[in-house]
Amino acid sequence: MKQYDVIIIGGGAAGFFAAINIAEQNPNLKVVILERGKDVLTKVKVSGGGRCNVTHAEFIPKELSLNYPRGEKELLGPFHQFMTGDTIAWFEKRGVDLKIEEDGRMFPVSNSSQTIIDCFLNEVNTHGVEVLINHAVKSVKKAGEFYTIETSQGEFNSKKILIATGSNPKIWKLLEDLGHTISSPVPSLFTFNINDERIQDIPGVVAPDVEVKVIGTDLWSEGPLLITHWGLSAPSILKLSAFGAIELAKRQYKFKIEVNFIKQTFDDCIELLKALKHELAKKTVYKSTSFNLPKRLWHKLVFASGIPIETRWADLNKSQLESLSGQLTRAVFKVDGKSTFKEEFVTAGGINLKEINFKTFESKLYKNMFFAGEVLNIDAVTGGFNFQNAWTGAYMASKSISE
């Protein structure tokens, strides 16, 4: 049986970040990372389309916490200890500069996730952290002060363990057997599958700023909307999928949404259309794209309103105006299923947050058992927020472990 001061289960972002901080803060500690797969940092590699969306340029703890459907309240305190600015400084200190994109997402200047992976691998080598691959954990037991970790390649012993395995059902089951409560996992970031004439044959079209509601619920969001081959995506949809993860799972991903393409009320839209009827009297409605909408989407909505292609604005009757206003401000779409959003396999679910001390990220049930990342029931909207949760939790845990 191999003896270590700290065992970290999980060779992902949170595990490496914690290991490096522990080794740096207390060089005397013997630290090992156990990874079940043949490679480490695999999720880092594919995140952000292979660029690694490291964090998000939000520098106010309260505002940052609002991006977590599960974990908002619990992360507020930790974000006052370690958040975006600290993440940027941590990477810069190790030679990795980050850049901010227009939407606030932050990536390495190199535009390559390999930069982050190389940084982590160099740091664990520098600080003497052992990394063992193909070590799948079979059991976690505690006897006295020590934890015994049985893996596919032998047993390991330690007084302190950090579990950073992400959304791993097998580890959740082991923790459940130890007495922790697990919130059942459901997908958190996904796009909506919709088969509808109004969005057929126009994939790639983006409505810049819409409001979306899930009919029959209080769920709503706003932002850009992307039409895809399968339905709808982009921030407005992804926010809904995150904040509505549990509710939408209950509905088996079959529900209706209402889209307001122009963020105007139905009545205000009628008045705006009447003004256009006067201003563009001799022009055809079909060819007079309005409200900053993409031309192809405007064509679809006009057609769906029952307005013939050759109709001029001056010839629109009351019924047609109301129909067009309805399509623009309260278009209903039937959602029938979901699709995974790119490589962002984010899951809602994990260890019940009431069982964690968020000053240390230590289990309230077991002394010297710590957690970081998505193994906890914390998840976020897309944009670098899930990684920021990993960095913050790993830092807080490493600080406690090092003392």
Side-chain angles (χ1 to χ4, degrees):
M1 185 182 296
K2 293 185 178 179
Q3 182 79 39
Y4 290 88
D5 296 308
V6 184
I7 294 174
I8 295 174
I9 302 173
F16 268 78
F17 198 79
I20 293 161
N21 282 298
I22 292 164
E24 200 169 65
Q25 291 165 25
N26 191 338
N28 296 319
L29 294 177
K30 191 178 178 186
V31 183
V32 66
I33 296 173
L34 302 178
E35 166 56 38
R36 64 175 174 155
K38 61 180 177 22
D39 292 307
V40 293
L41 300 164
T42 52
K43 192 167 180 182
V44 171
K45 190 168 187 66
V46 299
S47 76
R51 294 196 296 150
C52 189
N53 187 179
V54 176
T55 186
H56 198 94
E58 174 52 72
F59 299 95
I60 302 168
K62 177 65 177 171
E63 293 300 313
L64 182 62
S65 70
L66 294 176
N67 293 283
Y68 298 83
R70 284 145 292 275
E72 176 188 343
K73 177 166 62 80
E74 291 80 6
L75 287 174
L76 187 54
F79 281 156
H80 278 92
Q81 300 298 315
F82 191 96
M83 61 171 292
T84 311
D86 302 295
T87 299
I88 296 167
W90 193 94
F91 281 103
E92 281 184 349
K93 182 183 173 184
R94 291 158 180 81
V96 178
D97 291 328
L98 304 180
K99 60 175 180 175
I100 304 173
E101 301 210 333
E102 279 186 24
D103 58 4
R105 292 181 302 160
M106 296 194 70
F107 296 89
V109 170
S110 66
N111 268 333
S112 172
S113 57
Q114 194 60 44
T115 302
I116 304 299
I117 293 170
D118 290 343
C119 169
F120 284 157
L121 294 177
N122 290 337
E123 289 293 313
V124 293
N125 286 335
T126 299
H127 294 292
V129 174
E130 278 191 63
V131 180
L132 302 177
I133 58 171
N134 296 317
H135 277 65
V137 171
K138 293 183 173 181
S139 70
V140 178
K141 295 173 183 172
K142 191 176 187 194
E145 290 187 327
F146 285 89
Y147 288 96
T148 300
I149 314 297
E150 183 193 354
T151 77
S152 54
Q153 298 202 40
E155 291 188 345
F156 297 79
N157 222 19
S158 179
K159 282 188 177 181
K160 297 180 179 182
I161 63 171
L162 170 70
I163 299 172
T165 47
S167 305
N168 184 330
K170 289 182 179 177
I171 298 297
W172 280 335
K173 180 66 172 70
L174 293 182
L175 293 169
E176 200 168 36
D177 291 343
L178 286 170
H180 269 292
T181 308
I182 306 297
S183 299
S184 298
V186 295
S188 175
L189 280 183
F190 50 86
T191 61
F192 294 174
N193 293 353
I194 297 170
N195 183 11
D196 192 290
E197 282 284 337
R198 289 167 293 178
I199 58 172
Q200 275 183 0
D201 308 318
I202 56 168
V205 166
V206 176
D209 193 17
V210 308
E211 284 180 354
V212 188
K213 299 175 184 175
V214 177
I215 295 172
T217 74
D218 294 329
L219 295 167
W220 76 279
S221 71
E222 58 186 356
L225 179 77
L226 169 68
I227 295 169
T228 71
H229 288 286
W230 301 275
L232 298 175
S233 184
S236 61
I237 298 298
L238 296 170
K239 279 184 213 168
L240 267 188
S241 75
F243 281 90
I246 295 168
E247 177 62 34
L248 301 182
K250 285 179 187 172
R251 293 168 182 250
Q252 297 183 306
Y253 308 104
K254 295 180 188 297
F255 52 92
K256 290 180 180 178
I257 58 171
E258 181 181 284
V259 180
N260 186 331
F261 286 102
I262 61 173
K263 295 176 82 170
Q264 298 282 343
T265 66
F266 177 84
D267 291 337
D268 286 346
C269 181
I270 290 283
E271 295 307 311
L272 292 168
L273 290 174
K274 284 179 179 176
L276 290 173
K277 179 177 162 80
H278 178 71
E279 292 168 23
L280 306 173
K282 293 182 179 180
K283 294 187 176 180
T284 63
V285 179
Y286 187 80
K287 290 185 178 178
S288 306
T289 306
S290 304
F291 302 108
N292 198 29
L293 289 177
K295 185 191 295 185
R296 290 193 291 164
L297 176 59
W298 173 261
H299 289 170
K300 288 279 190 179
L301 296 178
V302 170
F303 187 75
S305 303
I307 300 170
I309 289 177
E310 66 280 0
T311 305
R312 297 184 308 164
W313 281 95
D315 299 327
L316 282 180
N317 59 37
K318 183 185 176 187
S319 174
Q320 289 171 323
L321 283 172
E322 289 178 348
S323 181
L324 182 54
S325 181
Q327 290 295 334
L328 291 167
T329 64
R330 49 194 193 198
V332 175
F333 293 89
K334 185 179 178 183
V335 178
D336 187 14
K338 60 173 177 55
S339 295
T340 303
F341 174 64
K342 295 183 180 178
E343 308 83 10
E344 306 285 350
F345 25 85
V346 175
T347 303
I351 300 166
N352 189 309
L353 303 186
K354 291 178 181 177
E355 298 171 359
I356 305 300
N357 176 355
F358 279 92
K359 290 182 179 176
T360 59
F361 279 72
E362 185 177 14
S363 165
K364 289 180 181 178
L365 280 60
Y366 290 90
K367 185 175 171 58
N368 289 325
M369 177 186 282
F370 298 83
F371 301 98
E374 286 181 51
V375 67
L376 298 169
N377 187 23
I378 295 175
D379 63 286
V381 299
T382 185
F385 301 105
N386 282 299
F387 270 136
Q388 185 56 54
N389 165 47
W391 313 140
T392 297
Y395 173 81
M396 298 288 283
S398 65
K399 194 175 170 188
S400 303
I401 291 168
S402 304
E403 290 171 353

